[in-house]
Each structure stands twice: as C-alpha cells, then as structure tokens.
Amino acid sequence: MAEPAPPRTPGRSVTPRTMITWTVVALIGAAGWTMLALSRGEEVSAAWMVAAALGSYAIGYRFYSRFIANRVLKVDKNRATPAERLDDGVDFHPTDRRVLLGHHFAAIAGAGPLVGPVLAAQMGYLPGTIWIIVGVILAGAVQDMVTLFFSMRRDGKSLGQMARDEIGPVGGAAALIAVFAIMIILLAVLALVVVNALAGSPWGTFSIAMTIPIAFLMGFYLRVLRPGRVTEVSLIGVALLLLAIVSGSWVADSSLADTFTLSPGTLVIWLVVYGFVASVLPVWMLLAPRDYLSTFMKIGTITLLAIGVVVALPNMKMDAVTEFASRGDGPVFAGSMFPFVFITVACGALSGFHALVSSGTTPKMIQKESQVRMIGYGSMLMESFVAVMAMVAACVIDPGLYFAMNAPAGVIGDTVQSASQAVGGLGFNISPDELAAAAKAVEEETLLSRTGGAPTLAVGMSEIFSQVFGGHGMKAFWYHFAIMFEALFILTTVDAGTRVGRFMLQDTLGNVFKPFRNVSWKPGLWFTSAVVVGAWGYFLWVGVHDPLGGINQLFPLFGIANQLLAAVALAVCTTLLVKSGRLKWAWVTGIPLLWDVAVTLTASWQKIFSDDPKIGFFSQRAVYQDGIDAGEVLAPAKNMDDMHTVVTNSTVDGVLSALFAILIILVLLDAARICVKAVRDPRSVRLEEAPYTESKIVAPAELWATREEKAELVAAGVGSEGGVPRQRSETDSGAPRSGAGSGGDS
C-alpha cells in the first residue's frame, strides 16, 4: 500500500485576477533586468535594480518555493515539530511564526549582505547583482529551507551531527571538525565588525544596549503578561526601539557620552558576556524577542532605502562591468570575477552560516512544518534584498570616492592629494577638494582607506536618504545612523550564532558523553557556551589589540570558509533527498552544490597555489620571507616583528585553506558513496528521522491566513493567530498552554 500523501497546503485558487497580477509582476521584473543588461556606457536608474530584484523574488517565492515545499519536501502540517513535541521552555519552544521569522532573519542577516556587495561593486554592479538575485532564488534560499526541514525532522540536530548520522563516520567527522572551526572564525569576524562600528560611538552603543531590556520586556509580555498578543508587543517594542534610537542621539550630545564611549577592548568583554548570557537564557526571554525587535529596524531601514531610491531615482554611477572583472588586479581585492565575486558577495546569495541557524535555533522553535517555506525561503529573500540595496548604495556614489574609500593606504597614500592622483591612475577622477568635501559632509576627518565596506555603505545610504529626507544638511545624521544600523544588524548574528555553536558542540560531545545530547542539561549548557564564546572571544580580543593578530590573521579565510560550509549543507541535503526516495528531485540541491563546489574549490586552489602574492597565501609568504632575508620592511608591516607575523599569518591561512578544502572533499566523497549505495539498494541505508507524531497546534503557514486556514482557526477556537485548541491543551496538561506560540490577538 502506498504511503498517503501529506495534506495539501492551503492556498488561494487561480483566478483571472491572479493571473493578471503575476503577469504584471513578471513584466516589471523583466523590464528591470532588460534595462540593467542593455545599458552600456550610460547611467541607469537604481530603480530598475529594485524592480528586477522584487519581481524576481516574487516569482521565485510564489512558484519555486511552493514547488519545493509541496512536491519535493512534502511538508505535513499535521506532523508535530520538535518545538511542540520537546517543548522545554528553554531551547525548544513553539514560537509565533512572525516572531520566528524576525528571529531567523535577524540571525542570518549579518555582515555579508551589507559589506560583501559593496566590495564586489569593484567589478561593476551587474555581476554581483546577477549572483545576488539568481543565486538566492536557486541556491541560497533553497539551502536554508531544505536544511531547516531536514533538521526539524531530526529533532533540531545541528548540521555537523546530521552529516555524521546520515553520511557516515568519516565524512561526518570531517564535517563536524570543519563546521565547528569555520563557525568560530565566522563569529569572530562578525563580532570584529560590531566592535569596529561601535568603538567610540556613544549613540550606537547606547541604542543597541537599550534593545536588551526592551527584549526582556517583550519576552515576559508574551510569556507571562499577555501570552500570544504579538501585535500588542510589536507596537510596544517598535515604539521603545524608536525612542532608544532617538535617545542615542541625545546621549551622544550629553554628559553621558563618556559613559557609552567604549574602547574596542571593553566592547570585546561586553560582547563575550552578552554572547554567553544570550546562549544560556531561555530562548523566549532574550534571543527571540531581541532578534524580532531588531528585524523591525532592519526591514524598516531597508524599506525606507528602497522608497528613497524610487522617489529620488539616483543613477548608478559605477559601470555595469568594470575592467577589473577581466584583469583581476582590482585595488579593493585581487582576483578574477570567477570565482572571487561569488566568494565576496557570500551571504546575499548563498551562505553556509545560514545552514547553522537553520539547523540550530530555528528548527527547535518552529510551530508547523508548513511554515518552513516562509521562514526558510522567505527570510533568505529578505536578506538578498538587503544585499541588493547595499549594491545600490555603493554604486550611486562617485566611483572615484568609492575607490578612495576602499583602496588600502598602501595604494592611495594618506592625503587627499595622493588619493586623487592614485584614483586617477585607476581611471576614475575625483579632486582633492571633492574628497575633503565628502568627508566634511558626514562629519568625518577623512574617508580615505575606510576599507571593509561598512563606511562606503553608510555614505551611500546617507546620499540616498538625504535626497528624500532632510536634504544635504542631514547627510551627517544619516551617515552615523547607518553606522549604528550596521552594528545592530550584525550583532544579532553573534548572539544567535553563539547559541548555534553551543548546540553544535553539545551534539559533538554527546557522541562521547551521552548527557551532552540533552541540550537543556545545565552543566553541558554552561560548559559548551563558555567554550564557544571563549574561542571566538579569544581571536577577537587579540585582533583588536594587534592589527596583524587574532581574527585579523584569519579574516582572509572568511569568504571561502563560509562558502565551503554551504557545500557541506548542500551535500547533506542532497544525500537526504536521495536516501529518502526523492532521487528525481535531488537536482534541487544537487545543482547548487556542483556550482558551489566549483566556485569554492577553484578559489581555494588559487589561494593556495597562485603565484600572485596578492592572491596566493604561500606566494605572499615567500615575498615577505625574501624581504626578511634582505632586511627590508614591506607594507603593511612596520618593523621586522611585523614581517615575521605576516609570514606566520600567510602560512597559517594557507595551511587552513588546504585543510578546509580537504575536509570538504572528504565530506563530498563520503556523501557520494552513500548516494550511490542508496540508489543501488534503498534498503541498505537508514534515515535518522524522528517518528511521526500528530500535531495539536493550529496555525497559519504564512504571515496572513488563507480562507481555509481562517476556517480551521475558528473551528479550533484559538483566535486569529493560532495555537493549541483549548480543549486539547486542557486534556493534555490540565490547563491551557501559554507562550509565544499559543493564543491569538483578541
């Protein structure tokens, strides 16, 4: 007897009005792509990029994500999730889909979508934009949703543990080692960006600090005071957040400014303390509400930026494709368009870090299987749009200013005169007076060599915002607002990432000492949290005190390591599709896997073996070693001790690049072995899937309930937002359940 198909996910019927609507959406997207692709030698409005992105996202979400959810994964709304079955009020907790959407988006949207596209703009706006939009629809959002689904079916197990259980001991062990090591590097890099953004900024530090007590209030409001009243708490939280932002500006001009003006070292200590606390407290108390709160800030700012683009209609001043795309000798980063644009953009299109969140906090909090589409696929589309807007912000400013800000001091010097001359040599003109005026407009002493992408994004945002809100005189306000916004954006990935790292380490140690498998076991919880924050905190501490040490040593590995992590996630997902009898659909993750492997292994090969010292780690090591032998000091080193440090760093980066590539190849080979075995004899493989349990929760799949879902909610008597029907909860536990996942607005 064939296994019965899961119930159809409620949806709206196809009507002539629906067909017309989607035809118009498709035409808008097509018009945007046409204008971007055909414009040569002339400026094109940034509004066309917004149109191309939004039209493509709408089509991808409406059709492709629905196909994957219903046909490939066969989500079952009647099957209980780990959040419902294992609810412990600490890590496992059924969470309202809107709150969880905010948490998941805030957790995955870190530095990558903000600064990666800014750096990739060196090669023109078109290559990076194509990868951001096409890549997210076919690869990034697919990875996030499928990983979330399979982790949810396995009691929320981490990516590394799923690899060990489903692929085998060799590939699984390689995955566990690679995933955890890469995750520590990613967390330290993200934390470094936060430190750089907040150091010496009382406005940003105060505003972000205030989000913590606001989050506590929201958590207790939903859990204790008014369970399920998400709309109420959202209004309260947004009002308090806006007050905190405005108050931050006041604090910066008051006697309290010194209190909130913190040094990088002090910020590191506070970040480590916050990361530990956020990791051990119940998820409903701080992590979920704070991430949900920050999402309002993130989405609100990006939406305003998009509106600003549509209203002001700024032109893209950067070329569609620059000469650096073919030459590979750009001043921002060295390397050819393939593979380095795809490595640099990273999180806006495909990010391995997302797979850690999709197999970490989120699968332990999701109410219904039917919500994986909105939370997994939808959140990634939101992040991709952030990346598109970052690309717009970088490309609407003068190219001369862009290269003056992003080229290192060794290339452009440290004066506006030398910078103007150097940028002119690159083929872009900007006068010393224009460079000085740009810095004065945002109340900065200088904008030269403000590398890393974040300051460039802030300048671009201030350019767009000032054209719509407040005029030229508001540029400085919008610039510093953008810097604070970026720090808030990135901080949410640090707290969620620390918790994910704790889960990963608990899963790993649980293979040796079984009590660690219980993620709520207090000794294990505290120990693993301390290890994770201690690891990334160490690299961060050394990095802020030594320009060439700590995380600065490992920073060059960030892009490749992140994409190698995506290869692990896609390999695990493809293996699980094959093992679960979905061979005909394995291309859904298999094609993105092949592309990602081609990109990352090519990049790894070049970083290890390239003869160009700007690209290859070992060739860079050789140049500096020759300098030491000749008694010469080469930039960025300032003395012989720095020269020896650069040699050490290059050696470490080269060895780690080779090690990570080897570990990923082992994972891929073992995964291929299991896939072949499953195809030849399906009975010879075993799925580590949790047994079916019927769900008692009734909740919509999307932000807004369909007509069918509304009827279900009314029949269950749980209000408009879903939860556990009162009669069921009273039968099960003697009293109605409460929490963020139950009840509804009244």
Side-chain angles (χ1 to χ4, degrees), residues 392-475:
V392 168
C395 294
V396 298
I397 65 176
D398 188 281
L401 178 59
Y402 170 87
F403 284 103
M405 292 185 66
N406 290 281
V411 174
I412 65 171
D414 56 4
T415 67
V416 291
Q417 289 77 17
S418 63
S420 174
Q421 184 176 358
V423 170
L426 296 173
F428 304 95
N429 296 319
I430 187 168
S431 69
D433 289 342
E434 288 173 323
L435 287 173
K440 184 178 179 181
V442 295
E443 296 182 6
E444 290 282 344
E445 292 184 7
T446 180
L447 290 176
L448 301 182
S449 299
R450 298 293 297 274
T451 57
T456 304
L457 175 61
V459 168
M461 290 176 66
S462 70
E463 181 74 26
I464 295 170
F465 278 140
S466 64
Q467 293 183 40
V468 183
F469 309 105
H472 184 80
M474 288 289 288
K475 267 193 174 183

Side-chain angles (χ1 to χ4, degrees), residues 157-338:
K157 286 184 178 178
S158 65
L159 175 64
Q161 189 61 36
M162 284 198 295
R164 184 183 184 279
D165 292 344
E166 302 289 354
I167 293 179
V170 177
L176 283 170
I177 295 170
V179 169
F180 188 76
I182 290 172
M183 187 208 62
I184 294 299
I185 294 174
L186 299 185
L187 286 175
V189 168
L190 294 173
L192 180 64
V193 178
V194 175
V195 169
N196 290 338
L198 292 184
S201 173
W203 181 11
T205 302
F206 174 83
S207 298
I208 289 176
M210 288 301 101
T211 62
I212 297 174
I214 296 173
F216 274 119
L217 173 63
M218 293 175 66
F220 280 97
Y221 193 97
L222 277 179
R223 178 79 173 185
V224 180
L225 300 178
R226 301 274 286 173
R229 269 57 176 189
V230 178
T231 302
E232 291 179 15
V233 81
S234 299
L235 294 174
I236 294 171
V238 170
L240 292 175
L241 176 62
L242 293 175
L243 178 61
I245 294 170
V246 174
S247 299
S249 180
W250 300 337
V251 167
D253 296 326
S254 72
S255 58
L256 292 173
D258 290 342
T259 303
F260 290 94
T261 303
L262 304 181
S263 67
T266 303
L267 282 168
V268 171
I269 295 173
W270 280 114
L271 277 179
V272 167
V273 171
Y274 170 73
F276 178 82
V277 172
S279 178
V280 301
L281 284 180
V283 70
W284 60 265
M285 188 180 295
L286 176 60
L287 186 68
R290 189 189 175 284
D291 288 355
Y292 177 59
L293 178 68
S294 70
T295 296
F296 285 105
M297 171 80 170
K298 296 178 178 182
I299 295 299
T301 301
I302 293 301
T303 301
L304 279 177
L305 191 60
I307 293 172
V309 168
V310 173
V311 173
L313 297 176
N315 287 334
M316 308 286 284
K317 296 181 180 178
M318 186 71 74
D319 292 338
V321 181
T322 68
E323 59 185 13
F324 301 120
S326 57
R327 286 177 16 194
D329 60 349
V332 179
F333 64 90
S336 57
M337 184 172 69
F338 180 87

Side-chain angles (χ1 to χ4, degrees), residues 39 42 121 161 191 234 257 310 345 484 514 521 596 678 708 731 742:
S39 297
E42 58 186 27
Q161 189 61 36
S234 299
V310 173
V345 169
M484 185 271 295
K514 289 186 178 179
W521 181 52
D596 186 53
E708 295 175 12
T731 301
S742 59

Side-chain angles (χ1 to χ4, degrees), residues 41-105:
E42 58 186 27
E43 294 183 358
V44 60
S45 173
W48 290 116
M49 186 178 290
V50 174
L54 294 180
S56 301
Y57 295 152
I59 297 294
Y61 184 78
R62 170 59 178 81
F63 297 100
Y64 193 48
S65 72
R66 177 174 288 189
F67 160 75
I68 295 174
N70 295 345
R71 297 288 299 278
V72 179
L73 301 180
K74 297 181 179 178
V75 297
D76 186 353
K77 69 173 185 176
N78 293 326
R79 185 178 184 133
T81 65
E84 181 179 359
R85 291 186 291 102
L86 306 175
D87 185 3
D88 60 6
V90 179
D91 296 313
F92 293 90
H93 181 64
T95 304
D96 184 279
R97 68 198 183 285
R98 295 161 299 178
V99 176
L100 186 58
L101 177 68
H103 157 74
H104 186 78
F105 168 71

Side-chain angles (χ1 to χ4, degrees), residues 18-31:
T18 302
M19 294 177 64
I20 292 173
T21 299
W22 285 106
T23 300
V24 171
V25 170
L27 289 174
I28 291 174

Side-chain angles (χ1 to χ4, degrees), residues 401-583:
L401 178 59
Y402 170 87
F403 284 103
M405 292 185 66
N406 290 281
V411 174
I412 65 171
D414 56 4
T415 67
V416 291
Q417 289 77 17
S418 63
S420 174
Q421 184 176 358
V423 170
L426 296 173
F428 304 95
N429 296 319
I430 187 168
S431 69
D433 289 342
E434 288 173 323
L435 287 173
K440 184 178 179 181
V442 295
E443 296 182 6
E444 290 282 344
E445 292 184 7
T446 180
L447 290 176
L448 301 182
S449 299
R450 298 293 297 274
T451 57
T456 304
L457 175 61
V459 168
M461 290 176 66
S462 70
E463 181 74 26
I464 295 170
F465 278 140
S466 64
Q467 293 183 40
V468 183
F469 309 105
H472 184 80
M474 288 289 288
K475 267 193 174 183
F477 172 85
W478 288 121
Y479 173 84
H480 290 92
F481 172 85
I483 292 293
M484 185 271 295
F485 159 76
E486 293 172 43
L488 176 64
F489 213 106
I490 299 164
L491 182 59
T492 52
T493 62
V494 175
D495 53 19
T498 299
R499 199 178 192 97
V500 170
R502 188 251 288 180
F503 292 146
M504 191 184 308
L505 189 56
Q506 285 177 288
D507 281 346
T508 302
L509 296 178
N511 296 318
V512 180
F513 187 55
K514 289 186 178 179
F516 276 105
R517 293 183 180 177
N518 178 7
V519 294
S520 298
W521 181 52
K522 291 295 193 294
L525 183 156
W526 295 330
F527 173 76
T528 50
S529 295
V531 170
V532 172
V533 297
W536 64 255
Y538 166 76
F539 289 112
L540 180 61
W541 175 265
V542 176
V544 300
H545 290 90
D546 182 357
L548 297 177
I551 193 54
N552 297 312
Q553 178 188 51
L554 303 175
F555 192 89
L557 298 175
F558 177 81
I560 292 178
N562 187 40
Q563 300 303 80
L564 286 173
L565 201 54
V568 174
L570 290 168
V572 171
C573 291
T574 304
T575 302
L576 286 171
L577 286 175
V578 174
K579 289 179 67 176
S580 60
R582 300 176 173 97
L583 176 61

